[in-house]
């Protein structure tokens, strides 16, 4: 199931949206896009997965066109327990494939480390299997 097809249960006010995003020169059609402007927007989204999935697979990055100095922290938690944390600069991409089998709630969080408010963090083609 694409993450963009799963309703959120908490968070995400401000500039969070679902759709197409370009990261690292590649276009991802099923992306979850969140703001890096943590001073004015909510930096997290929570989804009820209720032990229905085994894996969470996602490509992380900053949307193309962001200023070179952009640095954002991506974090994934399951039921409050940290699964992964990555600090990425503009132009960097990382792929995560995480176990979520026993999880009830999946939390995605972005934190502004050194980013202008015009930059966006992308959870590209995030899928639950």
């Amino acid at each position: 199931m694409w993450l963009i097809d799963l309703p959120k249960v908490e968070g995400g006010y401000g500039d969070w949206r679902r759709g197409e995003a370009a990261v690292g020169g590649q276009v991802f059609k099923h992306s979850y896009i969140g703001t890096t402007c943590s001073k004015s927007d909510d930096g997290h989204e929570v989804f009820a997965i209720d032990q229905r999935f085994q894996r969470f697979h996602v490509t992380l990055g900053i949307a193309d066109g962001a200023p070179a100095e952009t640095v954002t922290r991506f974090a994934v938690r399951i039921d409050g327990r940290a699964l992964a944390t990555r600090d990425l600069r503009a132009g960097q991409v990382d792929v995560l494939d995480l176990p979520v089998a026993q999880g009830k709630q999946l939390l995605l969080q972005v934190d502004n480390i050194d980013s202008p408010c015009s930059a966006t963090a992308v959870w590209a083609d995030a899928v639950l299997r």
Side-chain angles (χ1 to χ4, degrees):
M1 171 182 271
W2 295 113
L3 183 65
I4 63 172
D5 294 332
L6 194 63
K8 69 176 182 174
V9 295
E10 176 186 316
Y13 67 84
D15 190 22
W16 281 81
R17 62 190 182 283
R18 302 160 191 240
E20 188 175 287
V23 176
Q26 185 176 351
V27 175
F28 296 88
K29 294 187 180 280
H30 303 97
S31 298
Y32 217 91
I33 305 144
T35 183
T36 61
C37 190
S38 56
K39 290 181 179 167
S40 62
D41 294 322
D42 186 5
H44 80 284
E45 291 265 315
V46 178
F47 304 88
I49 60 172
D50 299 321
Q51 301 174 330
R52 294 180 290 161
F53 306 101
Q54 299 297 309
R55 312 286 304 172
F56 175 60
H57 184 87
V58 63
T59 299
L60 305 175
I62 307 298
D64 289 354
E69 68 273 10
T70 301
V71 182
T72 298
R73 176 168 293 144
F74 293 79
V76 180
R77 295 183 176 276
I78 195 84
D79 299 334
R81 180 177 45 90
L83 289 182
T85 302
R86 299 290 189 275
D87 292 351
L88 298 177
R89 296 185 174 285
Q92 291 182 314
V93 175
D94 197 5
V95 176
L96 301 178
D97 187 48
L98 304 169
V100 295
Q102 301 304 313
K104 294 181 180 179
Q105 288 195 330
L106 176 71
L107 179 140
L108 306 182
Q109 184 167 345
V110 292
D111 289 311
N112 180 344
I113 295 176
D114 188 14
S115 302
C117 284
S118 60
T120 51
V122 180
W123 305 83
D125 282 358
V127 66
L128 290 152
R129 297 182 177 131

